[in-house]
Amino acid sequence: MGAPSRDEEEARKMEAGDDTVGQKLDAGALFVLQSKGSWLHCGYHLTTSIVAAPLLSLPFAFASLGWSAGMICLVVGAVVTFYSYNLISRVLEHHAQQGRRQLRFRDMATDILGPGWGRYYIGPIQFLVCFGAVVASTLLAGQSMKAIYLIASPGGTIKLYVFVAIFGVFLMLLAQLPSFHSLRHVNLVSLLLCLGYSLCAVAGCIYVGHSDAAPPRDYSIRGGTSTRVYGVFNAVAVIATTYGNGIIPEIQATVAAPVTGKMFKGLCLCYAVVVTTFFSVATAGYWAFGNAAQGLLLNNFMVDGEPIIPKWLLLMAELFTLMQLSATAVVYLQPTNEVLEGFLSDPKAGQYAARNVVPRLLSRTLAVAFGTTIAAMVPFFGDMNALIGAFGFLPLDFAVPAIFYNITFKPSKKGVVFWLNTAIAVVFSAVAVIASVTAVRQIVLDAGTYKLFANV
């Protein structure tokens, strides 16, 4: 029998709990980021993290951009993120082949840029962005539950925060699934659900567009020059959030060794769904409602408390959205779970030993409770969506991958790859700064309408 290959040795080390950067894996990586999945499972995780309810905000982004700029931004977002996610995957595969498999975004930053970058920049930003996505998903789920309630019981008086709390309790149960890999079947259902509510949304737009009671459509961009400029960058931030992921290394960590080529297949599956849903919802929603498109497309289907599309169709769209949001929330909870498990669990004890189960149960329950409380207190999804995209997803998913690739592979400065990556990093870093300022400005402008536990 010949000597084991590097990939076989990598698989053995992962199974034994050996880290690939010279030390034992901590409990967070060992228990939460188990490497047992196939490329299909990877595709399910990617789809749930990218093709989520924020895609229903794309017509709203088009309202600030218009047809041409909106379509250009949508295409550029798809091309750049697909390219960037493949860059990250290539870097991860390269280090795995060198015997240094990196399981977390902060591991990559520490290994490639230095310990300070992983500990004080990439790690905190990723944590805030992912937990922000959990909060946003919880809020949006509460709004979907309230919409279903009002369709079934017009004039109902139950407040939004009650529905947010109900969803939070359900999420506490779902959060107890022990590892990222254990979500693979949940995320398969999630993939089908995102196709379902996208189809319902497009069908609703076509129905409204051909209805005798169709609202007048205006495709002009509202406001003065400064308002339009700020609107453009706010829309870019919304689109970045829609394409955002922020957990590519953690998703690739769930794939069983050897990892070569599996992430690319998973991304191809994911982006087949992206193209199908993003472009159809964006174009149908903007065509039907023009610059009156709201922050969430489904809200356009209710006028004066009454649905303007068949009630059953709106109920299906809201229900599918609600169900998928539970999967999205628990996926973005994984970095939090991994950090908590690393602090509180003992890697020498079994994953299901009482020593580890009790801290896991308590810490995840408290984390979800904290996120649910924030969602109930500050129920303003649109502003939150733009800030998350500008502050987190733009640098993590657009700029950082190009930097990682150039440092790792050192492509020739005479070649196209180096300058393409440099241009992507510079342009999207600048856009991230401007969009962050724009998002904060919008929050300041809307601050007068904010009210804790508002019933919006």
Side-chain angles (χ1 to χ4, degrees), residues 108-179:
M108 291 188 74
T110 297
D111 217 27
I112 296 170
L113 301 177
W117 286 93
R119 183 175 301 170
Y120 300 113
Y121 180 69
I122 297 295
I125 284 185
Q126 184 199 33
F127 183 83
L128 289 172
V129 165
C130 290
F131 198 73
V134 174
V135 173
S137 297
T138 304
L139 170 58
L140 202 51
Q143 292 176 339
S144 290
M145 291 178 71
K146 183 184 174 184
I148 293 170
Y149 164 69
L150 291 177
I151 293 170
S153 180
T157 58
I158 299 178
K159 305 297 184 183
L160 173 62
Y161 60 79
V162 176
F163 295 107
V164 172
I166 292 171
F167 181 80
V169 171
F170 173 71
L171 187 58
M172 287 177 187
L173 300 176
L174 196 60
Q176 303 308 322
L177 290 171
S179 67

Side-chain angles (χ1 to χ4, degrees), residues 349-385:
Q351 184 175 12
Y352 301 105
R355 163 66 182 83
N356 290 333
V357 170
V358 173
R360 180 184 308 133
L361 176 64
L362 293 176
S363 62
R364 295 186 182 188
T365 300
L366 290 174
V368 172
F370 179 64
T372 302
T373 302
I374 297 175
M377 288 178 63
V378 192
F380 299 96
F381 174 72
D383 291 350
M384 189 183 301
N385 204 17

